């Protein structure tokens, strides 16, 4: 959810589709217990960022993440809790930029 600013600086900023998140919040909250077969997956490169001091992504979640996102990478942002973009913006941007460049994504 990073976009390039329109002011010709090429700076990155966060853009979230809050309407879509709110409309699907119940489904998002239950994704680890989703039992449908075949399980919906996204096979493209996917980056998960976790704050080192956050408990939102735990080792017990990794199998479910891999089932839904078989080509995922997990990076831990040091010195950050759940709000990695606010607590460690440079590290968050660096991890994201490295991931996008590695996968040749815009």
């Amino acid at each position: 959810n990073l976009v390039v600013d329109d002011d010709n600086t090429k700076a990155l900023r966060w853009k979230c589709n809050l309407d879509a998140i709110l409309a699907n919040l119940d489904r998002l909250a239950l994704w680890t217990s989703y039992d449908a077969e075949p399980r919906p997956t996204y096979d493209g490169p996917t980056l998960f960022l976790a704050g080192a001091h956050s408990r939102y992504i735990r080792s017990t979640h990794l199998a479910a993440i891999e089932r839904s996102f078989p080509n995922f990478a997990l990076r831990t942002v040091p010195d950050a809790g759940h709000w990695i973009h606010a607590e460690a913006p440079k590290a968050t941007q660096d991890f994201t930029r490295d991931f996008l460049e590695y996968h040749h994504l815009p």
Side-chain angles (χ1 to χ4, degrees):
N1 295 31
L2 285 175
V3 295
V4 178
D5 272 342
D6 296 329
D7 61 5
N8 295 324
T9 64
K10 300 210 183 246
L12 298 175
R13 66 180 173 82
W14 293 104
K15 180 179 179 182
C16 296
N17 186 343
L18 294 178
D19 291 335
I21 293 171
L22 290 173
N24 293 285
L25 196 55
D26 291 340
R27 292 177 61 202
L28 292 169
L30 296 174
W31 78 272
T32 56
S33 62
Y34 190 76
D35 292 327
E37 292 296 335
R39 174 180 286 276
T41 61
Y42 174 72
D43 294 324
T46 307
L47 176 63
F48 282 76
L49 293 175
H53 305 296
S54 173
R55 299 186 67 194
Y56 279 90
I57 298 178
R58 299 178 182 192
S59 59
T60 57
H61 299 143
L62 296 180
I65 290 171
E66 187 170 26
R67 282 193 304 274
S68 294
F69 304 95
N71 192 19
F72 85 99
L74 172 62
R75 300 292 177 261
T76 302
V77 179
D79 302 318
H82 179 65
W83 295 93
I84 59 172
H85 61 289
E87 297 172 16
K90 180 164 179 359
T92 301
Q93 289 176 3
D94 290 345
F95 277 126
T96 303
R97 185 179 302 109
D98 291 348
F99 178 83
L100 294 173
E101 288 175 357
Y102 179 82
H103 291 285
H104 307 288
L105 298 171

